[in-house]
Amino acid sequence: MTSPALAADDFPAALMEAARLTDMVLGKLLAVPEGPEARVVEAMRYSALAPGKRLRPFLALASAQLFSVARRSALQAAVAVELVHAYSLVHDDLPAMDNSDLRRGRPTCHKQFDDATAVLAGDGLLTYAFEVLAQPDTHGDPAVRCELVAALAQAAGAAGMVGGQMIDLLAENDPTLDIGAITRLQRLKTGALIALSCEAGAILGKAGAEQRLALRGYAHDLGLAFQIADDLLDIEGSAAETGKPVGSDAAAGKATFVSILGVERARAQAAHLVRQAVSHLDLFEKKADLLRQAAHFVINRRA
Ligand code: GRG
Protein backbone atom coordinates (compact mmCIF):
# COMPACT_ATOMS: atom_id res chain seq x y z
CA MET A 1 0.00 0.00 0.00
CA THR A 2 1.24 3.53 -0.75
CA SER A 3 1.03 6.21 1.94
CA PRO A 4 -0.71 9.56 1.62
CA ALA A 5 2.13 11.92 0.76
CA LEU A 6 1.88 14.57 3.46
CA ALA A 7 5.25 16.14 4.30
CA ALA A 8 5.91 14.91 7.85
CA ASP A 9 8.16 17.79 8.88
CA ASP A 10 6.22 20.73 7.44
CA PHE A 11 2.73 21.13 8.87
CA PRO A 12 1.63 24.20 6.82
CA ALA A 13 2.68 22.42 3.60
CA ALA A 14 0.93 19.23 4.71
CA LEU A 15 -2.29 21.10 5.53
CA MET A 16 -2.19 22.80 2.12
CA GLU A 17 -1.59 19.48 0.39
CA ALA A 18 -4.49 17.87 2.27
CA ALA A 19 -6.72 20.76 1.17
CA ARG A 20 -5.55 20.49 -2.44
CA LEU A 21 -6.20 16.76 -2.59
CA THR A 22 -9.57 17.07 -0.86
CA ASP A 23 -10.72 19.85 -3.17
CA MET A 24 -9.55 17.93 -6.23
CA VAL A 25 -11.69 14.92 -5.27
CA LEU A 26 -14.64 17.07 -4.14
CA GLY A 27 -14.52 18.95 -7.44
CA LYS A 28 -14.83 15.68 -9.36
CA LEU A 29 -17.51 14.22 -7.09
CA LEU A 30 -19.65 17.33 -7.25
CA ALA A 31 -19.87 17.57 -11.04
CA VAL A 32 -22.99 19.55 -11.92
CA PRO A 33 -25.52 17.39 -13.81
CA GLU A 34 -27.80 18.42 -16.67
CA GLY A 35 -31.39 19.29 -15.84
CA PRO A 36 -33.19 21.35 -13.22
CA GLU A 37 -31.65 19.37 -10.33
CA ALA A 38 -28.36 21.08 -11.26
CA ARG A 39 -29.26 23.89 -8.86
CA VAL A 40 -28.89 21.77 -5.74
CA VAL A 41 -25.51 20.42 -6.88
CA GLU A 42 -24.36 23.98 -7.61
CA ALA A 43 -25.30 24.87 -4.03
CA MET A 44 -23.48 21.77 -2.72
CA ARG A 45 -20.37 22.72 -4.73
CA TYR A 46 -20.58 26.33 -3.63
CA SER A 47 -20.55 25.31 0.03
CA ALA A 48 -18.21 22.33 0.00
CA LEU A 49 -15.56 24.00 -2.14
CA ALA A 50 -15.67 27.37 -0.34
CA PRO A 51 -12.27 28.14 1.18
CA GLY A 52 -12.00 26.40 4.56
CA LYS A 53 -9.03 24.99 6.42
CA ARG A 54 -9.87 21.35 5.57
CA LEU A 55 -8.70 20.41 9.05
CA ARG A 56 -10.88 17.30 9.26
CA PRO A 57 -9.63 15.85 5.94
CA PHE A 58 -6.11 16.63 7.11
CA LEU A 59 -6.73 14.66 10.33
CA ALA A 60 -8.14 11.72 8.37
CA LEU A 61 -5.14 11.70 6.01
CA ALA A 62 -2.56 12.17 8.77
CA SER A 63 -4.14 9.42 10.91
CA ALA A 64 -4.28 7.08 7.92
CA GLN A 65 -0.60 7.81 7.33
CA LEU A 66 0.18 6.33 10.77
CA PHE A 67 -1.04 2.97 9.46
CA SER A 68 0.34 3.24 5.91
CA VAL A 69 -3.15 3.32 4.41
CA ALA A 70 -3.31 3.76 0.62
CA ARG A 71 -3.81 7.37 -0.42
CA ARG A 72 -6.94 6.64 -2.45
CA SER A 73 -8.65 5.01 0.55
CA ALA A 74 -7.62 7.75 2.94
CA LEU A 75 -8.90 10.42 0.56
CA GLN A 76 -12.33 8.80 0.38
CA ALA A 77 -12.61 9.08 4.17
CA ALA A 78 -11.17 12.61 4.13
CA VAL A 79 -13.74 13.74 1.58
CA ALA A 80 -16.61 12.05 3.43
CA VAL A 81 -15.87 13.91 6.68
CA GLU A 82 -15.56 17.21 4.82
CA LEU A 83 -18.93 16.62 3.12
CA VAL A 84 -20.54 16.12 6.55
CA HIS A 85 -18.77 19.19 7.91
CA ALA A 86 -19.93 21.30 4.93
CA TYR A 87 -23.52 20.12 5.45
CA SER A 88 -23.37 21.08 9.13
CA LEU A 89 -22.20 24.60 8.27
CA VAL A 90 -24.94 25.07 5.63
CA HIS A 91 -27.68 24.00 8.04
CA ASP A 92 -26.16 25.82 11.02
CA ASP A 93 -26.25 29.10 9.06
CA LEU A 94 -29.96 28.81 8.18
CA PRO A 95 -32.42 31.36 9.60
CA ALA A 96 -33.93 28.63 11.80
CA MET A 97 -30.54 28.09 13.47
CA ASP A 98 -27.75 30.70 13.60
CA ASN A 99 -29.21 32.90 10.84
CA SER A 100 -25.79 33.83 9.52
CA ASP A 101 -25.04 35.79 6.33
CA LEU A 102 -21.31 35.11 6.08
CA ARG A 103 -19.39 31.83 5.97
CA ARG A 104 -15.85 31.22 4.77
CA GLY A 105 -15.71 34.84 3.63
CA ARG A 106 -18.71 34.45 1.31
CA PRO A 107 -22.48 34.78 1.52
CA THR A 108 -23.92 31.71 3.24
CA CYS A 109 -25.60 29.08 1.09
CA HIS A 110 -29.16 30.28 1.79
CA LYS A 111 -28.14 33.88 1.01
CA GLN A 112 -26.50 32.88 -2.25
CA PHE A 113 -29.35 30.53 -3.24
CA ASP A 114 -32.46 30.38 -1.01
CA ASP A 115 -33.52 28.67 2.23
CA ALA A 116 -35.11 25.62 0.61
CA THR A 117 -32.14 25.06 -1.69
CA ALA A 118 -29.77 25.34 1.29
CA VAL A 119 -31.77 22.69 3.21
CA LEU A 120 -31.56 20.40 0.19
CA ALA A 121 -27.88 21.15 -0.40
CA GLY A 122 -27.14 20.16 3.22
CA ASP A 123 -29.17 16.98 2.81
CA GLY A 124 -27.34 16.21 -0.43
CA LEU A 125 -23.91 16.74 1.14
CA LEU A 126 -24.71 14.57 4.16
CA THR A 127 -26.08 11.65 2.18
CA TYR A 128 -23.27 11.85 -0.37
CA ALA A 129 -20.75 11.28 2.43
CA PHE A 130 -22.17 7.82 3.08
CA GLU A 131 -22.32 7.02 -0.64
CA VAL A 132 -18.61 7.88 -0.89
CA LEU A 133 -17.69 5.67 2.08
CA ALA A 134 -19.69 2.77 0.64
CA GLN A 135 -17.77 2.87 -2.66
CA PRO A 136 -15.27 0.01 -3.22
CA ASP A 137 -12.50 2.63 -3.63
CA THR A 138 -12.76 3.31 0.12
CA HIS A 139 -11.49 -0.16 1.10
CA GLY A 140 -11.37 -3.60 -0.46
CA ASP A 141 -12.92 -5.14 2.65
CA PRO A 142 -16.69 -4.44 2.86
CA ALA A 143 -16.56 -4.89 6.65
CA VAL A 144 -14.18 -1.92 6.87
CA ARG A 145 -16.50 0.17 4.71
CA CYS A 146 -19.44 -0.78 6.94
CA GLU A 147 -17.48 0.14 10.05
CA LEU A 148 -16.67 3.55 8.58
CA VAL A 149 -20.29 4.18 7.59
CA ALA A 150 -21.50 3.24 11.08
CA ALA A 151 -18.83 5.34 12.81
CA LEU A 152 -19.59 8.41 10.68
CA ALA A 153 -23.35 8.00 11.22
CA GLN A 154 -22.77 7.84 14.97
CA ALA A 155 -20.51 10.90 14.99
CA ALA A 156 -22.91 12.94 12.85
CA GLY A 157 -26.22 11.84 14.36
CA ALA A 158 -28.22 12.38 17.54
CA ALA A 159 -25.48 10.79 19.70
CA GLY A 160 -22.95 13.19 18.13
CA MET A 161 -23.12 16.42 16.16
CA VAL A 162 -26.91 16.64 15.74
CA GLY A 163 -27.39 15.95 19.46
CA GLY A 164 -24.80 18.60 20.33
CA GLN A 165 -26.52 21.12 18.08
CA MET A 166 -29.86 20.37 19.79
CA ILE A 167 -28.34 20.95 23.22
CA ASP A 168 -26.72 24.14 21.92
CA LEU A 169 -30.04 25.51 20.65
CA LEU A 170 -31.74 24.70 23.96
CA ALA A 171 -28.86 26.21 25.91
CA GLU A 172 -29.18 29.75 24.56
CA ASN A 173 -29.78 32.14 27.44
CA ASP A 174 -29.51 29.28 29.94
CA PRO A 175 -27.62 30.68 32.94
CA THR A 176 -27.42 27.27 34.63
CA LEU A 177 -25.04 25.86 32.02
CA ASP A 178 -21.81 24.95 33.80
CA ILE A 179 -18.42 23.88 32.50
CA GLY A 180 -19.36 20.18 32.59
CA ALA A 181 -22.48 20.79 30.50
CA ILE A 182 -20.58 22.93 27.98
CA THR A 183 -17.86 20.31 27.71
CA ARG A 184 -20.44 17.63 26.92
CA LEU A 185 -22.24 19.88 24.44
CA GLN A 186 -19.04 20.68 22.57
CA ARG A 187 -17.78 17.09 22.66
CA LEU A 188 -20.90 16.18 20.73
CA LYS A 189 -21.32 19.23 18.51
CA THR A 190 -17.73 19.75 17.34
CA GLY A 191 -15.67 16.99 18.96
CA ALA A 192 -17.48 13.96 17.56
CA LEU A 193 -16.67 14.74 13.90
CA ILE A 194 -13.09 15.72 14.74
CA ALA A 195 -12.69 12.43 16.61
CA LEU A 196 -14.22 10.49 13.71
CA SER A 197 -11.75 12.14 11.33
CA CYS A 198 -8.88 10.67 13.37
CA GLU A 199 -10.62 7.34 13.94
CA ALA A 200 -11.23 6.91 10.20
CA GLY A 201 -7.51 6.44 9.64
CA ALA A 202 -7.40 3.77 12.36
CA ILE A 203 -10.43 1.95 10.93
CA LEU A 204 -8.94 1.96 7.41
CA GLY A 205 -5.62 0.73 8.79
CA LYS A 206 -7.29 -1.97 10.94
CA ALA A 207 -5.38 -0.55 13.89
CA GLY A 208 -5.19 -2.42 17.19
CA ALA A 209 -7.09 -1.48 20.37
CA GLU A 210 -4.16 0.31 21.99
CA GLN A 211 -3.54 2.49 18.94
CA ARG A 212 -7.24 3.33 18.60
CA LEU A 213 -7.45 4.28 22.27
CA ALA A 214 -4.45 6.57 21.92
CA LEU A 215 -5.92 8.30 18.86
CA ARG A 216 -9.27 8.65 20.61
CA GLY A 217 -7.59 10.35 23.55
CA TYR A 218 -5.72 12.67 21.21
CA ALA A 219 -8.87 13.53 19.26
CA HIS A 220 -10.91 14.14 22.39
CA ASP A 221 -8.45 16.70 23.75
CA LEU A 222 -7.89 18.21 20.31
CA GLY A 223 -11.64 18.73 19.79
CA LEU A 224 -12.02 20.60 23.07
CA ALA A 225 -8.91 22.71 22.42
CA PHE A 226 -10.31 23.50 18.94
CA GLN A 227 -13.61 24.64 20.45
CA ILE A 228 -11.96 26.84 23.09
CA ALA A 229 -9.88 28.44 20.32
CA ASP A 230 -13.11 28.96 18.34
CA ASP A 231 -14.71 30.67 21.36
CA LEU A 232 -11.63 32.88 21.76
CA LEU A 233 -11.73 33.79 18.05
CA ASP A 234 -15.38 34.79 18.44
CA ILE A 235 -14.17 37.41 20.94
CA GLU A 236 -10.71 38.32 19.72
CA GLY A 237 -10.83 37.57 15.98
CA SER A 238 -12.24 39.61 13.12
CA ALA A 239 -14.72 38.68 10.38
CA ALA A 240 -11.97 39.46 7.85
CA GLU A 241 -9.79 36.74 9.41
CA THR A 242 -12.40 34.13 10.26
CA GLY A 243 -14.67 34.64 7.25
CA LYS A 244 -17.73 34.50 9.52
CA PRO A 245 -19.38 36.99 11.88
CA VAL A 246 -17.63 37.42 15.24
CA GLY A 247 -19.19 38.31 18.59
CA SER A 248 -22.17 36.12 17.81
CA ASP A 249 -21.89 33.96 20.95
CA ALA A 250 -22.13 36.96 23.29
CA ALA A 251 -24.89 38.53 21.17
CA ALA A 252 -26.91 35.30 21.43
CA GLY A 253 -26.31 35.13 25.19
CA LYS A 254 -24.51 31.81 24.78
CA ALA A 255 -22.49 30.35 27.60
CA THR A 256 -19.08 29.32 26.20
CA PHE A 257 -15.77 28.13 27.66
CA VAL A 258 -14.65 31.76 27.53
CA SER A 259 -17.76 33.26 29.12
CA ILE A 260 -17.40 30.83 32.04
CA LEU A 261 -13.62 30.61 32.45
CA GLY A 262 -12.61 34.07 31.24
CA VAL A 263 -10.07 34.68 28.46
CA GLU A 264 -6.89 33.89 30.39
CA ARG A 265 -8.08 30.64 31.99
CA ALA A 266 -9.64 29.52 28.71
CA ARG A 267 -6.35 30.09 26.89
CA ALA A 268 -4.45 28.20 29.61
CA GLN A 269 -6.95 25.34 29.44
CA ALA A 270 -6.57 25.12 25.65
CA ALA A 271 -2.78 24.97 26.01
CA HIS A 272 -3.13 22.26 28.69
CA LEU A 273 -5.43 20.24 26.39
CA VAL A 274 -2.91 20.48 23.56
CA ARG A 275 -0.10 19.15 25.79
CA GLN A 276 -2.40 16.34 26.89
CA ALA A 277 -3.42 15.59 23.28
CA VAL A 278 0.21 15.36 22.23
CA SER A 279 1.06 13.06 25.14
CA HIS A 280 -1.45 10.49 23.85
CA LEU A 281 0.65 10.11 20.69
CA ASP A 282 3.82 8.80 22.37
CA LEU A 283 3.37 5.22 21.17
CA PHE A 284 3.45 6.36 17.55
CA GLU A 285 6.88 7.98 18.07
CA LYS A 286 8.02 10.20 15.18
CA LYS A 287 5.29 8.92 12.86
CA ALA A 288 2.78 11.18 14.65
CA ASP A 289 4.74 14.43 14.26
CA LEU A 290 2.13 15.89 11.90
CA LEU A 291 -0.65 15.24 14.39
CA ARG A 292 1.47 16.86 17.11
CA GLN A 293 1.93 19.97 14.97
CA ALA A 294 -1.79 19.98 14.16
CA ALA A 295 -2.59 20.19 17.87
CA HIS A 296 -0.47 23.33 18.23
CA PHE A 297 -1.97 24.81 15.06
CA VAL A 298 -5.49 24.36 16.40
CA ILE A 299 -4.98 26.83 19.26
CA ASN A 300 -2.75 29.29 17.40
CA ARG A 301 -4.90 29.69 14.27
CA ARG A 302 -6.55 32.99 13.36
CA ALA A 303 -9.37 31.50 11.27
C1 GRG B 1 -26.68 21.73 11.76
C2 GRG B 1 -26.59 19.33 12.57
C3 GRG B 1 -26.01 20.67 12.54
C4 GRG B 1 -24.89 20.86 13.19
C5 GRG B 1 -24.13 22.09 13.20
C6 GRG B 1 -20.63 22.06 13.70
C7 GRG B 1 -21.91 22.78 13.82
C8 GRG B 1 -23.07 21.97 14.21
C9 GRG B 1 -22.06 24.09 13.57
C10 GRG B 1 -20.99 24.97 13.16
C11 GRG B 1 -21.05 26.21 13.96
C12 GRG B 1 -19.76 26.53 14.56
C13 GRG B 1 -19.13 27.77 14.09
C14 GRG B 1 -19.23 25.72 15.47
C15 GRG B 1 -17.95 25.98 16.10
C16 GRG B 1 -16.86 25.04 15.69
C17 GRG B 1 -16.80 24.87 14.23
C18 GRG B 1 -17.38 23.63 13.71
C19 GRG B 1 -16.23 25.79 13.47
C20 GRG B 1 -16.09 25.67 12.00
O1 GRG B 1 -15.13 24.71 11.68
P1 GRG B 1 -13.75 25.12 10.97
O2 GRG B 1 -13.09 26.24 11.74
O3 GRG B 1 -14.30 25.71 9.60
O4 GRG B 1 -12.93 23.91 10.76
P2 GRG B 1 -13.66 25.70 8.13
O5 GRG B 1 -14.45 26.76 7.38
O6 GRG B 1 -12.20 26.06 8.23
O7 GRG B 1 -13.89 24.34 7.58
Side-chain angles (χ1 to χ4, degrees):
M1 285 202 277
T2 54
S3 303
L6 298 183
D9 52 355
D10 186 349
F11 173 77
L15 186 59
M16 270 176 60
E17 178 64 356
R20 188 189 70 78
L21 293 168
T22 303
D23 288 1
M24 186 182 71
V25 178
L26 279 175
K28 282 186 195 153
L29 287 174
L30 294 169
V32 180
E34 296 289 326
E37 70 272 32
R39 182 174 168 81
V40 73
V41 184
E42 277 162 16
M44 289 161 70
R45 259 189 99 83
Y46 175 82
S47 301
L49 287 169
K53 293 179 289 298
R54 311 293 187 252
L55 178 66
R56 294 156 192 79
F58 165 85
L59 291 171
L61 293 173
S63 303
Q65 194 155 300
L66 290 177
F67 308 105
S68 305
V69 171
R71 177 199 272 198
R72 195 169 61 168
S73 295
L75 259 176
Q76 293 278 108
V79 163
V81 291
E82 188 64 16
L83 285 168
V84 173
H85 175 55
Y87 128 77
S88 78
L89 299 181
V90 171
H91 280 194
D92 185 64
D93 290 334
L94 283 166
M97 297 214 193
D98 259 14
N99 194 17
S100 234
D101 293 354
L102 188 69
R103 171 68 66 184
R104 293 173 160 175
R106 296 178 179 180
T108 46
C109 188
H110 66 277
K111 283 281 161 192
Q112 185 71 15
F113 294 86
D114 56 74
D115 291 3
T117 305
V119 170
L120 291 175
D123 294 343
L125 290 164
L126 175 64
T127 44
Y128 206 7
F130 296 101
E131 184 180 333
V132 168
L133 287 183
Q135 288 168 353
D137 270 359
T138 301
H139 201 282
D141 182 348
V144 169
R145 304 204 294 271
C146 272
E147 192 179 346
L148 278 173
V149 166
L152 181 61
Q154 212 167 9
M161 189 169 64
V162 165
Q165 180 77 345
M166 186 76 256
I167 301 171
D168 199 22
L169 292 172
L170 293 172
E172 271 177 32
N173 293 314
D174 179 356
T176 65
L177 217 63
D178 61 12
I179 198 74
I182 291 189
T183 302
R184 176 162 187 270
L185 184 171
Q186 299 299 357
R187 272 188 75 171
L188 298 180
K189 181 180 149 186
T190 318
L193 194 60
I194 288 181
L196 180 278
S197 306
C198 298
E199 196 184 348
I203 294 174
L204 283 170
K206 297 191 175 180
E210 194 191 358
Q211 292 170 315
R212 284 181 191 225
L213 194 67
L215 264 185
R216 203 169 296 144
Y218 164 82
H220 170 246
D221 293 333
L222 183 78
L224 285 179
F226 176 93
Q227 188 57 52
I228 295 175
D230 209 74
D231 292 351
L232 285 164
L233 279 173
D234 195 60
I235 290 178
E236 298 175 331
S238 68
E241 287 173 312
T242 60
K244 60 185 180 184
V246 292
S248 50
D249 291 341
K254 270 189 190 174
T256 67
F257 286 114
V258 178
S259 74
I260 291 188
L261 295 175
V263 168
E264 286 317 313
R265 277 178 67 206
R267 196 174 284 127
Q269 180 63 14
H272 168 72
L273 284 162
V274 165
R275 284 192 297 276
Q276 206 167 273
V278 165
S279 74
H280 286 293
L281 299 173
D282 288 352
L283 79 164
F284 298 112
E285 300 179 349
K286 273 195 73 61
K287 270 188 128 180
D289 275 356
L290 268 184
L291 291 176
R292 291 185 183 94
Q293 292 171 62
H296 292 285
F297 163 80
V298 151
I299 59 162
N300 293 317
R301 67 201 166 94
R302 297 298 305 164

